[in-house]
Amino acid sequence: MDELRTQVQEVFREVFADPEIRLHDQMTADDIDGWDSLMHINLIVALEKHFGIRMATAEIARLKEDGQNIGTLLQLVAGKLPRA
Amino acid sequence: MTVASLQFVAALLLASVLFPLLPTPRARQGALFLGNCVFLGSLVPNAATWAALAAFLASGYAAARILERRPVRALLAAYVAGIVAVFVLLKRYAFLEQVVPPAMLDHPITIVGLSYMLFRQIHYVVDSMQGQIPTPSLWGYLNYQMNLFGLLAGPIQRYQEFQASWDKLVTVATDQHDLLKRYLRVFWGVVKIVGIAAAFSFAYQKLFARLESLHAASDTPGLLTALVLFLGVFYLYPLYMYFNFSGYCDIVIGGAALVGLRLPENFDRPYLSRSVIDFWTRWHRTLGFWIRDYLFMPMYKAVAERNPRVAPSVAFGCYFVAFALAGIWHGTTSNFLVFGAINGLGASAAKLGEQYLIRKRGRAGLRQYLQSGRIRLVSIWATANFFCVSMLFFPHELERCLIPLRVLYAALEAAIRG
């Protein structure tokens, strides 16, 4: 999971143009400057491209709901990666 | 039958007492299915409508199952295009008179709640194709689409959320106090519709009739009279809509909870919104979220995947198209296109304004700017009034919608000329 977190963090830094971003599980969209609906889609597109995965409409929408955080996002990405 | 009618409320109260006595989820589902059929039956005028409704719903379930096995985007696009074309024809959209033979529009089919069924159906088919409906069943799907609590005017619930409570149908209330609150919510919904909204509607009709008679007689009133009449219709109709629609939602959300169905909230103090985008996450929220997920997101994502650098500047166009389409969905005449276009312009302008502030002040500066009490008041006032402008184009066909503006303009012109 640590390797995955590092890679996801790199994608976040690139999308939000902020090299200082450090991800932890409890972080939400409110903790990252500029994470609005538009940036949410940009982030998803970048994650899909980086990991070669595809997220469903319902999954993308659910990530914006209350109670969702970086931990949920990492689990979602991890669940879509081919098992080693 | 309407949800604020005596029959509906009495049936609801009776059901809330009888439901907990039914021993199994299957028995409760059966009882609710019966209720759905009776309610739907009271709204279906003829056999042709029953047949069209059955075909419409069956096509959604069949398409979902096919796309689940063969998730081909072109197939999905073809189905959505087809079902939208059928919807436009069934609703007899005004522009069709110029396009198709009159005989095609001369059909006896009138499906109440079809607009909401269409949006639920598109969501169901898309989510099925993407593997997001884990345990589909025709029984669940039919009750989801026919659910009497969302049939007339939403909320536009997602299937996954519906299924979570449909599978058990146990009361949502946690204790007696909570149960009482649900009853009170239904009662308050009735008061909103038959009391407050009806009063606003009555006043609106009176003022609008006065404006119409002035316009018909080419009689130009004094500027003050014109201004009072104009501001009257300008604010009364949005107030009527708020109390009528939120009252409806209070009845169906509170009522559904009494029989164990959890429906999503549809209002969150919309007249305190700070931009048009914010507004559509607070007014008819489930529609706003549907537009975001099934209109805006696919359009914007398609651009962002192909050309991420261009995407942010295309976003404004996507907002406009998404809202214009949602506007047309509200009704069959050209005034709804104007209503949607105004909201689309508002959403695009809100995003443009935000981008401008970020460029000028940076993200920290934008946050500081938005925290200012004075800015907050101005943006709330501007958003509420902007929505009222768009609502001028909601209640009637375009020509009639323009009457208040025409009377005000004539009075202004006369006052300037002296």
Side-chain angles (χ1 to χ4, degrees), chain B residues 275-277 345-355:
Chain B
S275 73
V276 174
I277 296 174
L345 279 175
S348 305
K351 208 67 204 167
L352 269 172
E354 189 188 281
Q355 300 280 334

Side-chain angles (χ1 to χ4, degrees), chain B residues 251-298:
Chain B
I251 295 172
V252 295
I253 295 171
L258 292 173
V259 295
L261 275 181
R262 197 181 286 272
L263 292 185
E265 290 297 336
N266 226 6
F267 285 90
D268 177 20
R269 297 167 297 162
Y271 290 129
L272 295 180
S273 306
R274 295 171 62 176
S275 73
V276 174
I277 296 174
D278 185 25
F279 184 87
W280 283 99
T281 64
R282 291 160 165 268
W283 168 284
H284 204 171
R285 304 175 73 203
T286 54
L287 173 66
F289 295 146
W290 195 97
I291 295 170
R292 182 195 67 190
D293 297 343
Y294 295 95
L295 280 176
F296 176 77
M297 191 154 68

Side-chain angles (χ1 to χ4, degrees), chain B residues 60 63-64 67 76 79 120-129:
Chain B
L67 285 162
L76 173 70
Y79 176 72
R120 282 195 291 264
Q121 193 139 303
I122 291 174
H123 139 71
Y124 184 81
V125 172
V126 170
D127 281 24
S128 293
M129 186 181 98

Side-chain angles (χ1 to χ4, degrees), chain A residues 16 33-42 44-45 48-49 54-62 64 80, chain B residues 73 126-127 130 132 158 160 292-294 296-297 300-301 304-305 308 311 315 319 351 354-355 363-364 367:
Chain A
F16 291 98
D33 225 5
W35 192 346
D36 57 15
S37 297
L38 223 51
M39 289 305 273
H40 183 63
I41 304 172
N42 290 339
I44 296 297
V45 169
E48 285 183 339
K49 204 170 177 180
R54 192 102 195 140
M55 293 195 200
T57 306
E59 290 170 331
I60 301 170
R62 217 174 292 134
K64 288 286 283 177
K80 289 186 175 288
Chain B
R73 278 191 187 197
V126 170
D127 281 24
Q130 296 178 340
Q132 297 299 304
R158 304 293 165 94
Q160 298 88 334
R292 182 195 67 190
D293 297 343
Y294 295 95
F296 176 77
M297 191 154 68
Y300 179 74
K301 197 163 173 256
E305 279 169 349
Y319 274 118
K351 208 67 204 167
E354 189 188 281
Q355 300 280 334
R363 289 216 173 260
R367 218 175 25 244

Side-chain angles (χ1 to χ4, degrees), chain A residues 3-71:
Chain A
E3 170 57 24
L4 177 66
R5 189 191 309 273
T6 309
Q7 285 191 46
V8 170
Q9 188 167 277
E10 278 312 308
V11 175
F12 265 79
R13 288 176 175 180
E14 202 173 308
V15 170
F16 291 98
D18 181 358
E20 303 295 315
I21 290 177
R22 297 188 75 83
L23 296 182
H24 60 82
D25 281 2
Q26 271 65 48
M27 275 172 100
T28 67
D30 291 339
D31 298 316
I32 293 178
D33 225 5
W35 192 346
D36 57 15
S37 297
L38 223 51
M39 289 305 273
H40 183 63
I41 304 172
N42 290 339
L43 176 67
I44 296 297
V45 169
L47 286 168
E48 285 183 339
K49 204 170 177 180
H50 182 89
F51 291 103
I53 56 174
R54 192 102 195 140
M55 293 195 200
T57 306
E59 290 170 331
I60 301 170
R62 217 174 292 134
L63 286 171
K64 288 286 283 177
E65 286 173 5
D66 289 344
Q68 304 295 307
N69 54 28
I70 294 296

Side-chain angles (χ1 to χ4, degrees), chain A residues 66-77:
Chain A
D66 289 344
Q68 304 295 307
N69 54 28
I70 294 296
T72 333
L73 175 65
L74 288 174
Q75 275 174 15
L76 180 64
V77 174

Side-chain angles (χ1 to χ4, degrees), chain B residues 88 91-95 328-336 397:
Chain B
V88 166
K91 295 279 283 186
R92 302 179 192 86
Y93 268 75
F95 74 88
I328 298 168
W329 169 85
H330 277 88
T332 59
T333 43
S334 54
N335 57 301
F336 290 103
E397 290 201 13

Side-chain angles (χ1 to χ4, degrees), chain B residues 45-358:
Chain B
N46 50 45
T49 299
W50 274 118
L53 179 60
F56 189 88
L57 296 182
S59 81
Y61 190 72
R65 299 291 70 80
I66 291 168
L67 285 162
E68 203 174 36
R69 286 189 200 98
R70 291 194 62 201
V72 180
R73 278 191 187 197
L75 271 181
L76 173 70
Y79 176 72
V80 172
I83 203 72
V84 169
V86 169
F87 167 78
V88 166
L89 200 63
L90 290 177
K91 295 279 283 186
R92 302 179 192 86
Y93 268 75
F95 74 88
L96 284 180
E97 287 165 17
Q98 323 292 327
V99 185
V100 301
M104 282 185 78
L105 302 176
D106 189 24
H107 59 73
I109 300 163
T110 308
I111 305 175
V112 175
L114 186 65
S115 313
Y116 289 88
M117 284 181 189
L118 174 76
F119 274 12
R120 282 195 291 264
Q121 193 139 303
I122 291 174
H123 139 71
Y124 184 81
V125 172
V126 170
D127 281 24
S128 293
M129 186 181 98
Q130 296 178 340
Q132 297 299 304
I133 311 278
T135 51
S137 74
L138 182 59
W139 175 241
Y141 169 76
L142 277 180
N143 281 283
Y144 166 65
Q145 279 287 38
M146 291 164 56
N147 176 16
L148 68 99
F149 295 104
L151 190 70
L152 295 177
I156 306 169
Q157 189 171 33
R158 304 293 165 94
Y159 182 78
Q160 298 88 334
E161 198 183 22
F162 169 81
Q163 196 179 18
S165 52
W166 169 252
D167 284 347
K168 298 188 190 100
L169 280 185
V170 285
T171 180
V172 172
T174 49
D175 52 39
Q176 288 299 311
H177 177 69
D178 193 33
L179 184 65
L180 186 65
K181 270 170 47 184
R182 315 262 170 186
Y183 280 115
L184 278 175
R185 184 166 186 186
V186 173
F187 175 69
W188 176 227
V190 175
V191 171
K192 273 183 177 175
I193 293 179
V194 302
I196 306 171
F200 282 129
S201 174
F202 178 78
Y204 169 80
Q205 303 290 350
K206 285 273 174 202
L207 294 187
F208 194 85
R210 175 92 180 102
L211 281 163
E212 259 189 326
S213 65
L214 285 168
H215 181 67
S218 301
D219 190 0
T220 305
L223 185 56
L224 188 63
T225 308
L227 207 57
V228 168
L229 289 171
F230 177 82
L231 290 176
V233 296
F234 185 76
Y235 288 118
L236 284 170
Y237 192 76
L239 282 169
Y240 154 73
M241 276 298 281
Y242 172 74
F243 282 103
N244 192 54
F245 195 14
S246 71
Y248 160 86
C249 289
D250 285 331
I251 295 172
V252 295
I253 295 171
L258 292 173
V259 295
L261 275 181
R262 197 181 286 272
L263 292 185
E265 290 297 336
N266 226 6
F267 285 90
D268 177 20
R269 297 167 297 162
Y271 290 129
L272 295 180
S273 306
R274 295 171 62 176
S275 73
V276 174
I277 296 174
D278 185 25
F279 184 87
W280 283 99
T281 64
R282 291 160 165 268
W283 168 284
H284 204 171
R285 304 175 73 203
T286 54
L287 173 66
F289 295 146
W290 195 97
I291 295 170
R292 182 195 67 190
D293 297 343
Y294 295 95
L295 280 176
F296 176 77
M297 191 154 68
M299 274 192 283
Y300 179 74
K301 197 163 173 256
V303 180
E305 279 169 349
R306 285 167 185 80
N307 199 337
R309 287 191 184 169
V310 175
S313 45
V314 175
F316 315 112
C318 296
Y319 274 118
F320 181 78
V321 173
F323 276 96
L325 288 174
I328 298 168
W329 169 85
H330 277 88
T332 59
T333 43
S334 54
N335 57 301
F336 290 103
L337 175 61
V338 179
F339 168 75
I342 292 174
N343 277 288
L345 279 175
S348 305
K351 208 67 204 167
L352 269 172
E354 189 188 281
Q355 300 280 334
Y356 171 75
L357 285 168
I358 291 170

